[in-house]
Amino acid sequence: MNRPPAPEDRTVPAIYFGATILLGAFLLFQVQPLIAKLILPWFGGSAAVWTSCMLFFQVALLAGYGYAHWVNRQTTRVQAIFHSGLLALSLFSLPILPSASWKPQGGEDPLLRICGLLAVTVGLPYFLLSSTSPLLQAWYSRANGGAMPWRFFALSNAGSMLGLLTYPILVEPWLTSGEQAWMWSISYGVFALVCATVAWCVRGVPVRMVVEESAKAPGLADRVIWIGLAACASALLLAVTNHLTQNVAAIPFLWVLPLSLYLLSFILCFDSDRWYHREVFIPLAAISLPAIAIVISKPARLIDIRVALAYFSITTFILFMVCQGELARRRPGSSQLTSFYLMVSAGGAIGGLLIGLAAPYYFNALYDFPVVIAGTAFLFVWLLLRERRTVLFAVGLLLAIGTTVVLGSGVRDSIGHSRVLVRNFYGALRVHDDSNEEGPMGPFRVLMHGTIDHGEEFLSPAGARFPTTYYSRGSGVGLAILNIQKQGPAHIGVVGLGAGTLAAYARPIDRVTFYEINPLVPKIAGSEFRFLADCPAPHEVILGDARLSLEDEPAKGFDVLAVDAFSGDSIPVHLLTREAFALYWRHLKPDGVLAVHVTNRNLALAPVVALAAAESGKRAMIVSNDADYDRRVFQSQWVLVTSRPGFFEQAEIKEASEPIGIPPGLTIWRDDYSNLFRILRYRKP
């Protein structure tokens, strides 16, 4: 008669641990872009939404690692019961579809609302997924005589990277947001069952630890280095992501790319010591740090998106490799496993707090990227000093000082002579005056949003109420307003206030309604510029996301509605979807004109507008104008959409407009589907 195996005879195959860790890591990082995209339209489509989500994820990761560190100190039976109970409880969070009650109501600060939404919607599942890798590695090590599980850490990061890369390639283009949420929820249910099964299997396996002969308990300095390296890598990740998303688009692909490189560095450095060679990567880092400093300190930006992505991808990957490689070289023995992970996650959370909380709420300008680069340079120098590498320390110190000087000079040049410097969740605003000594109309005042010009006004009486930048009388929006005004009083709606330039077109018989999401902008437009103050027509500024405001309002009966809420080349996609255009048509008169600003270096937005117009039986044309920098008029492109008879036959409009071609395969965008890959362009138009 066969007897059941005694507890001391039972083991749990390594593949069970590996499969559970892989699935957990995959779900952990696939949910990040998924849930961020779901809530993006509710908070103005801002790039800061992703930063806020990353801040929450990193703090939740720290909590998960802290939980793993605590529960690992209990008996295996207690661990199995407690962890299985939490997994069962987390199933009540499914499906991870955020409630509409979390939509913002007006101009309140979004950060706490985003964190609260995420905590309620995905908090407990994410917390448990975060704890999976360190907890199961500890179980494996304890049940296998102290075997080192570092390859499971590399496997975890491989699963994370797989989750990230499959989202923009296999998930986002083919599934609606609701379908994505349900598929993830079902997959999480499978994970919970598998993880609970492993926990109960481990419950009966005795602890078989071996003495680590050469292991030395890490001291305070070691822990500070762990935290510092992890914090630098995390802050660098968020800083470079901000830089890309603020100047291209707040889309999952540009969230995923830097995060994938970050994870790849983890995979390589913790899989094997053969990947990280100090004699290669430290000199490369010595080149990369000042190289990044020079680029971000110059006012001119890289024009070709491929060059920009390649440049920042290569340089930041080198810095990631040094941070993770130095971490891997300092990893402790298996008895300190969960403590090590806890310190690393604490560093990640500190980096997230610096970029996601301290920067927007305590900095008054875009200092975060320069601060991170300078801090990383001096951390590397400190490591050389601790190892008493005198020559390398001296060279590194000179490079760090030089990098900091370049960064400081760039910051000084960008904010020098500013009248106003303010910053919040939605970005950094700056107002400065330009003497314009060679211009015929004298000095002017400029409103900058980050590196983007959001409005200019001449200071002389002769230049008062002169529409500048993208809103000149020859621009698409200018031609539309002037044409409508020929017919009588005009009600003009504007999505995006800026300096209030479009108020320059208003006459006493007209009405103007502005929609603005950033509460700082109306204060600056009212105090630093005269467009609103000198506007002779009745006008109002409605604070909050334009889509949410338009959803709540009765039909406004606009004669012209101008959509210009884009922050440079970063676009809020939710303003270009079928549902958004349905709102525009509801608030426009039947023969009203929609003017959409599509000037963009990297994205061909006009076809997206044209598809929405065609679906509604309206005609769309793109209107371009030339620049006249002496009069502060910029080249611009606007798409005008209307069903008004004879509108595009007007001589001045006909001369400036042309039809819009539709790229093959492009379909109309919806709130639950958009695809920016099909409209990418790689050269400045």
Side-chain angles (χ1 to χ4, degrees), residues 402-426:
T403 298
T404 304
V405 169
V406 170
L407 292 167
S409 175
V411 170
R412 186 192 64 236
D413 292 343
S414 66
I415 67 173
H417 310 294
S418 297
R419 292 176 54 86
V420 175
L421 282 172
V422 289
R423 184 175 178 181
N424 64 2
F425 175 87
Y426 297 103

Side-chain angles (χ1 to χ4, degrees), residues 36-52:
K37 186 179 180 182
L38 279 173
I39 68 173
L40 189 64
W42 296 359
F43 298 94
S46 167
V49 173
W50 175 244
T51 306
S52 301

Side-chain angles (χ1 to χ4, degrees), residues 561-575:
L561 176 59
V563 178
D564 181 43
F566 304 157
S567 299
D569 289 336
S570 178
I571 64 167
V573 173
H574 72 297
L575 294 180

Side-chain angles (χ1 to χ4, degrees), residues 337-666:
L337 180 70
T338 55
S339 175
F340 174 73
Y341 287 144
L342 184 61
M343 295 300 102
V344 170
S345 62
I350 290 171
L353 288 168
L354 172 64
I355 305 300
L357 182 63
Y361 294 99
Y362 295 98
F363 294 171
N364 62 0
L366 295 174
Y367 308 130
D368 26 328
F369 205 178
V371 166
V372 170
I373 295 300
T376 302
F378 280 102
L379 177 63
F380 292 170
V381 170
W382 182 46
L383 294 180
L384 294 173
L385 176 63
R386 279 179 53 82
E387 296 180 4
R388 296 189 175 97
R389 305 179 73 169
T390 309
V391 176
L392 287 178
F393 166 73
V395 174
L397 182 61
L398 289 175
L399 281 172
I401 293 172
T403 298
T404 304
V405 169
V406 170
L407 292 167
S409 175
V411 170
R412 186 192 64 236
D413 292 343
S414 66
I415 67 173
H417 310 294
S418 297
R419 292 176 54 86
V420 175
L421 282 172
V422 289
R423 184 175 178 181
N424 64 2
F425 175 87
Y426 297 103
L429 300 170
R430 178 170 67 94
V431 178
H432 70 276
D433 292 343
D434 193 301
S435 61
N436 195 31
E437 295 177 355
E438 298 180 359
M441 301 185 70
F444 57 90
R445 183 162 295 167
V446 182
L447 170 62
M448 299 293 293
H449 184 173
T451 59
I452 306 302
D453 192 320
H454 268 216
E456 298 184 2
E457 181 180 57
F458 288 109
L459 299 178
S460 65
R465 292 176 50 77
F466 183 84
T468 57
T469 63
Y470 304 102
Y471 317 104
S472 68
R473 291 186 172 88
S475 66
V477 69
L479 292 173
I481 293 174
L482 293 172
N483 183 272
I484 293 297
Q485 286 177 328
K486 293 177 183 178
Q487 316 302 317
H491 188 185
I492 303 167
V494 184
V495 176
L497 174 62
T501 311
L502 286 177
Y505 286 96
R507 306 165 301 178
I509 59 173
D510 299 327
R511 283 187 297 152
V512 187
T513 303
F514 290 95
Y515 297 89
E516 175 56 50
I517 194 171
N518 189 341
L520 293 177
V521 172
K523 296 177 182 178
I524 292 175
S527 62
E528 297 294 321
F529 296 86
R530 302 194 314 276
F531 289 120
L532 289 181
D534 294 347
C535 179
H539 58 277
E540 63 176 332
V541 178
I542 298 175
L543 199 60
D545 179 71
R547 268 201 60 175
L548 298 180
S549 299
L550 291 171
E551 286 173 3
D552 294 338
E553 292 177 342
K556 303 288 283 189
F558 292 126
D559 294 286
V560 178
L561 176 59
V563 178
D564 181 43
F566 304 157
S567 299
D569 289 336
S570 178
I571 64 167
V573 173
H574 72 297
L575 294 180
L576 294 174
T577 63
R578 171 187 284 156
E579 293 81 357
F581 284 102
L583 273 177
Y584 304 153
W585 310 144
R586 180 165 74 83
H587 285 280
L588 277 164
K589 290 179 178 178
D591 62 348
V593 179
L594 176 68
V596 182
H597 192 188
V598 297
T599 307
N600 197 289
R601 296 171 305 148
N602 299 315
L603 301 167
L605 299 170
V608 178
V609 183
L611 278 175
E615 185 181 63
S616 301
K618 299 179 183 293
R619 188 179 176 190
M621 300 282 279
I622 188 167
V623 178
S624 305
N625 68 280
D626 295 329
D628 182 356
Y629 293 110
D630 288 341
R631 289 174 170 76
R632 306 308 299 166
V633 171
F634 300 162
Q635 183 183 25
S636 70
Q637 292 183 322
W638 291 78
V639 173
L640 303 184
V641 182
T642 187
S643 55
R644 177 183 286 260
F647 178 81
F648 290 109
E649 280 64 52
Q650 301 289 325
E652 64 276 13
I653 297 176
K654 185 176 182 179
E655 182 180 352
S657 62
E658 58 182 313
I660 301 170
I662 308 296
L666 181 66

Side-chain angles (χ1 to χ4, degrees), residues 21-334:
I21 288 172
L22 184 67
L23 177 59
F26 178 87
L27 294 174
L28 182 72
F29 276 79
Q30 180 131 120
V31 77
Q32 294 185 14
L34 191 162
I35 196 72
K37 186 179 180 182
L38 279 173
I39 68 173
L40 189 64
W42 296 359
F43 298 94
S46 167
V49 173
W50 175 244
T51 306
S52 301
C53 290
M54 284 296 292
L55 172 60
F56 172 85
F57 296 143
Q58 287 174 321
V59 172
L61 186 72
L62 173 60
Y65 279 22
Y67 162 76
H69 181 63
W70 170 80
V71 80
N72 187 53
R73 301 168 68 180
Q74 315 306 315
T75 66
T76 54
R77 180 179 178 82
V78 170
Q79 292 182 48
I81 295 173
F82 195 80
H83 197 65
S84 298
L86 286 179
L87 287 167
L89 182 63
S90 70
L91 297 178
F92 290 96
S93 301
L94 307 179
I96 54 163
L97 290 167
S99 169
S101 62
W102 285 99
K103 288 185 178 181
Q105 302 301 312
E108 71 270 22
D109 190 280
L111 179 59
L112 290 179
R113 184 173 285 265
I114 290 173
C115 291
L117 184 161
L118 293 173
V120 170
T121 306
V122 76
L124 186 54
Y126 193 90
F127 168 81
L128 293 172
L129 287 169
S130 299
S131 69
T132 301
S133 180
L135 190 56
L136 266 70
Q137 287 180 58
W139 289 350
Y140 172 82
S141 180
R142 292 174 67 179
N144 290 274
M148 297 302 294
W150 296 114
R151 286 208 162 179
F152 282 142
F153 188 47
L155 180 66
S156 171
N157 284 285
S160 301
M161 189 170 178
L162 183 65
L164 279 173
L165 294 179
T166 54
Y167 183 78
I169 297 172
L170 299 178
V171 177
E172 185 189 21
W174 304 106
L175 299 175
T176 66
S177 299
E179 292 168 344
Q180 294 171 28
W182 272 103
M183 285 195 65
W184 189 92
S185 299
I186 293 170
S187 301
Y188 177 80
V190 173
F191 161 80
L193 178 62
V194 171
C195 190
T197 301
V198 173
W200 281 91
C201 290
V202 172
R203 172 181 59 96
V205 176
V207 177
R208 293 189 291 271
M209 296 297 294
V210 298
V211 178
E212 298 169 1
E213 297 180 358
S214 60
K216 178 185 176 182
L220 177 61
D222 297 309
R223 297 177 188 275
V224 170
I225 290 175
W226 293 348
I227 293 173
L229 287 167
C232 274
S234 171
L236 182 64
L237 165 65
L238 291 179
V240 75
T241 304
N242 271 349
H243 189 80
L244 291 174
T245 53
Q246 287 174 0
N247 290 297
V248 181
I251 56 172
F253 170 69
L254 292 180
W255 303 338
V256 165
L257 179 61
L259 189 51
S260 297
L261 296 174
Y262 174 82
L263 291 173
L264 179 60
S265 65
F266 259 123
I267 294 168
L268 295 177
C269 293
F270 282 88
D271 174 69
S272 171
D273 292 337
R274 69 178 183 272
W275 295 110
Y276 175 65
H277 297 282
R278 298 184 96 195
E279 63 275 12
V280 173
F281 281 99
I282 287 182
L284 288 176
I287 297 171
S288 298
L289 285 165
I292 294 176
I294 291 169
V295 169
I296 65 176
S297 299
K298 298 294 182 182
R301 293 166 295 166
L302 292 169
I303 292 177
D304 192 316
I305 184 175
R306 293 172 299 184
V307 173
L309 291 177
Y311 183 88
F312 285 108
S313 295
I314 292 170
T315 51
T316 54
F317 177 70
I318 290 168
L319 300 181
F320 288 154
M321 282 295 292
V322 174
C323 290
Q324 318 301 9
E326 293 300 316
L327 265 178
R329 291 182 73 251
R330 291 165 171 79
R331 58 185 182 264
S334 60

